[in-house]
Amino acid sequence: MAEGLYSLVLKRLKEIDAPRSGVIRFPYVLEKLCRNFSITKEQCWDILFMLRDLISSR
């Protein structure tokens, strides 16, 4: 079954090793997503905001 963009983004985010504090800093998020999807930081922010809006609308 083909995966959608959002599920792929969430999978990539889960691959990031969280530090002891449990807070993953945005430079790590941007690095992971921008490299995996060959997108700019601006495009990455757009995707993150869309995910936020999708989650908060539930």
Side-chain angles (χ1 to χ4, degrees):
M1 182 166 79
E3 293 182 88
L5 174 64
Y6 298 124
S7 61
L8 288 173
V9 168
L10 292 174
K11 278 186 176 182
R12 296 305 187 270
L13 290 175
K14 287 180 182 179
E15 293 173 358
I16 300 173
D17 293 327
R20 289 184 188 190
S21 67
V23 177
I24 301 170
R25 301 196 184 275
F26 275 104
Y28 297 116
V29 171
L30 294 174
E31 179 181 357
K32 180 74 171 182
L33 296 180
C34 291
R35 282 187 180 179
N36 272 267
F37 297 105
S38 298
I39 58 176
T40 65
K41 288 181 183 179
E42 184 177 309
Q43 292 168 323
C44 186
W45 278 110
D46 288 341
I47 292 169
L48 292 173
F49 285 129
M50 282 189 276
L51 280 173
R52 180 201 61 186
D53 294 344
L54 180 69
I55 291 169
S56 66
S57 67
R58 289 184 177 187

